[in-house]
Amino acid sequence: MSQIELKNLRKEFGSLVAVNNLNLTIEDGEFIVFVGPSGCGKTTTLRMIAGFEDPTSGDITIDGKVVNELEPRDRDLGMVFQSHALFPHKNVADNIAFGLRMKKVKQDEQARKVKEVSELVRITHLLGKMPGQCSGGESQRIALARTLVTEPSNFLLDEPLSSLDAKLRRELRAECDRLHDELQKTFIYVTHDQEEAMTLADRIVVMNQGKIVQMGSPLEIYGDPVSYFVADFFGNPAMNLVEGEFVSGDSGLQFKSPQFTIPLPSKYSQKQPGKGTLGIRPENVTIGATDAAASINREVELVEPLGKDTLLYFETGAERPFVAVIEGTQSVERHANVDVGFPDDAIFLFDETGARIR
Ligand SMILES: Nc1ncnc2c1ncn2[C@@H]1O[C@H](COP(=O)(O)OP(=O)(O)OP(=O)(O)O)[C@@H](O)[C@H]1O
Ligand SMILES: [Mg+2]
C-alpha cells in the first residue's frame, strides 16, 4: 500500500513560483501522468516528491506520513531522470547493479536481480557493453532497468522517452504500460506529449504555470476540457478553435466570426453575448449531407490522405486552418465546395478568458 499526497505543495525559486500550491492524492498502483508545456513545473514537482528539492511550503505524505524531511533513498521511490546519465566507465550490468551495490546486496543476489530486470526490459544482450556503445533507446531501457532493479514501491519517470524517435517512443511507451500492469506499482510519469499522456494514464494531471488546471481520466480530459488551454493541448490534429463573437440572433445565440456565422445549440441561448472562441474537434466535423443544425458551405483548400483517414483543410480567416478528418480515402477533390457541419454536441465554447462556457 502506498498512497502519495501533495498538500498545498509550493516551490519558489527567488521571485519565480515554479509550483503553485498543488493538491493531489495519488492512489496505490495508479498510473498518473503530469502533462503541460515546458516550464510549467513538472520536473520540480517530481523532484520534490523524490526528495531532491525542498518545498518552499506544503507537505508531501506517503501513506499518511509527512516525508518532507526524509532523504531520497528513504522514500521508497525510484526515479528515472529527464537526462538519464549512465556511468560511462562501467558496463551496462554494473550500471544496473549500482543501486544494489549501494544497498550492500550480496554479489550473487545482485547478479540474479540484474538478469531478471534485464529480461523484463529486454536488454540481456547488452549487459557486457559500455554505455557509449548503446543507442538512445537502449540507454533509455538501461536507465529504466537501473531504477527497476531496486524494487521501489513507486516510480517517478521524467520524460523517460523524450530523446527517442517516434517509432521507438511508441514501442517503449507500450513497454511502460506492460511494466505497470506487471508490477502493479504506482507510476508518476511526466511528459509534454499529449499522446503519451492519453495512452498511458489512469489519470492525467494537466499543469500550466505551476498550477493544476484539470485532472481526470484521458477521456474526461479529451471530452470535457475545462478551458481553451486544455482543449487545445489534447487531441491530434488539435481542436479547431475559431475566434469570434457570440451575438443574439432571431432564434437564440449565434457565433459570428469574420468568415462565417452559425446558430449555436439552444442550451446556450441564455448565455451572455460577448467575445469568445468556438471549438470543434476535426474528427467531429461532418462533411457532406448533415443533420447538424449548423453548417457552412466551404471550399476545400487542401486534401491530405493519411491512409486510414484523410484530412481536409479549410480557410476560415483564423490563425490556423480549419481541419476536418474523414475516414479512409474518400474522394473529396481539392477546391470542391462541401457542406461542413457542426453537430450540437460537438460544439465547445470558451469565453474571452479561455474558460469553458457550458
Ligand atoms: N534550480 C532552479 N533555479 C531556478 N529556477 C528553476 C530551477 N529549476 C527550475 N526552475 C524554473 O522553474 C520553472 C519550472 O521548471 P521545471 O523544470 O519544473 O519545468 P518542466 O515543466 O519540467 O519543463 P520541461 O517540460 O521543459 O522539462 C521554470 O520556469 C524553470 O526555469
Ligand atoms: Mg522537466
Side-chain angles (χ1 to χ4, degrees):
M1 230 323 263
S2 180
Q3 186 196 59
I4 301 174
E5 231 181 322
L6 313 182
K7 293 180 178 168
N8 272 318
L9 191 64
R10 184 178 182 88
K11 181 68 186 182
E12 297 170 8
F13 293 108
S15 61
L16 179 101
V17 182
V19 175
N20 194 342
N21 296 40
L22 295 199
N23 286 290
L24 174 65
T25 304
I26 300 163
E27 299 299 340
D28 186 38
E30 212 179 357
F31 200 130
I32 284 272
V33 177
F34 280 89
V35 62
S38 188
C40 72
K42 304 179 298 293
T43 295
T44 306
T45 303
L46 223 56
R47 286 175 56 82
M48 285 194 284
I49 298 173
F52 296 109
E53 203 80 71
D54 288 327
T56 303
S57 59
D59 285 325
I60 300 153
T61 71
I62 300 181
D63 293 336
K65 213 178 83 200
V66 176
V67 298
N68 293 27
E69 304 300 325
L70 277 191
E71 290 296 318
R73 64 169 176 275
D74 298 325
R75 294 190 186 195
D76 198 13
L77 305 165
M79 180 144 174
V80 179
F81 293 94
Q82 195 161 3
S83 53
H84 51 278
L86 300 171
F87 300 112
H89 304 298
K90 293 181 197 294
N91 72 14
V92 170
D94 288 340
N95 261 284
I96 297 172
F98 180 76
L100 299 175
R101 274 206 307 286
M102 290 289 98
K103 286 186 170 176
K104 308 223 172 356
V105 173
K106 283 204 207 94
Q107 282 284 337
D108 54 343
E109 178 77 1
Q110 280 186 30
R112 190 184 61 75
K113 286 192 166 165
V114 167
K115 181 163 173 289
E116 202 177 281
V117 294
S118 304
E119 277 164 12
L120 198 62
V121 297
R122 298 165 194 181
I123 52 167
T124 38
H125 58 294
L126 300 176
L127 289 175
K129 280 194 173 187
M130 300 304 281
Q133 301 169 305
C134 299
S135 73
E138 290 167 348
S139 305
Q140 209 94 67
R141 283 170 199 255
I142 298 163
L144 202 57
R146 194 170 58 169
T147 303
L148 284 170
V149 80
T150 59
E151 297 176 9
S153 295
N154 309 284
F155 288 90
L156 309 179
L157 302 126
D158 193 358
E159 309 224 20
L161 312 183
S162 57
S163 58
L164 306 178
D165 69 47
K167 183 161 173 289
L168 204 50
R169 266 181 103 105
R170 270 198 301 279
E171 253 174 64
L172 277 187
R173 188 173 83 197
E175 202 102 326
C176 277
D177 217 4
R178 184 178 63 83
L179 274 176
H180 176 251
D181 258 12
E182 221 155 280
L183 301 170
Q184 306 268 316
K185 301 273 174 85
T186 306
F187 278 53
I188 308 179
Y189 187 105
V190 164
T191 180
H192 50 243
D193 179 344
Q194 59 93 23
E195 194 178 303
E196 234 167 74
M198 292 287 290
T199 50
L200 285 173
D202 290 324
R203 200 151 51 114
I204 294 176
V205 177
V206 189
M207 286 184 71
N208 194 23
Q209 298 181 339
K211 288 188 177 160
I212 295 178
V213 290
Q214 187 169 5
M215 13 183 189
S217 70
L219 291 183
E220 277 164 11
I221 302 271
Y222 168 87
D224 198 11
V226 296
S227 65
Y228 181 107
F229 173 80
V230 179
D232 193 24
F233 204 89
F234 290 89
N236 185 23
M239 186 186 281
N240 295 299
L241 291 158
V242 185
E243 312 279 320
E245 229 176 313
F246 308 120
V247 297
S248 304
D250 310 335
S251 53
L253 207 62
Q254 295 183 328
F255 175 76
K256 190 166 172 243
S257 74
Q259 301 242 335
F260 66 86
T261 300
I262 56 167
L264 290 171
S266 56
K267 69 169 179 172
Y268 298 116
S269 61
Q270 300 307 313
K271 299 294 174 188
Q272 292 296 321
K275 286 206 164 87
T277 304
L278 175 130
I280 184 166
R281 295 203 181 275
E283 54 273 36
N284 295 335
V285 173
T286 63
I287 298 295
T290 176
D291 305 332
S295 75
I296 55 176
N297 192 267
R298 270 287 174 288
E299 181 182 336
V300 178
E301 297 274 329
L302 191 67
V303 179
E304 253 183 24
L306 298 177
K308 192 169 90 50
D309 313 302
T310 301
L311 303 187
L312 306 180
Y313 290 78
F314 301 89
E315 183 55 57
T316 57
E319 249 173 68
R320 301 193 293 220
F322 188 94
V323 184
V325 181
I326 55 174
E327 261 180 59
T329 47
Q330 300 172 43
S331 55
V332 176
E333 296 289 327
R334 188 173 182 195
H335 299 311
N337 280 295
V338 296
D339 285 329
V340 180
F342 298 72
D344 274 10
D345 55 5
I347 291 176
F348 294 88
L349 303 182
F350 305 96
D351 70 17
E352 221 177 343
T353 69
R356 176 91 174 270
I357 302 171
R358 291 178 185 279

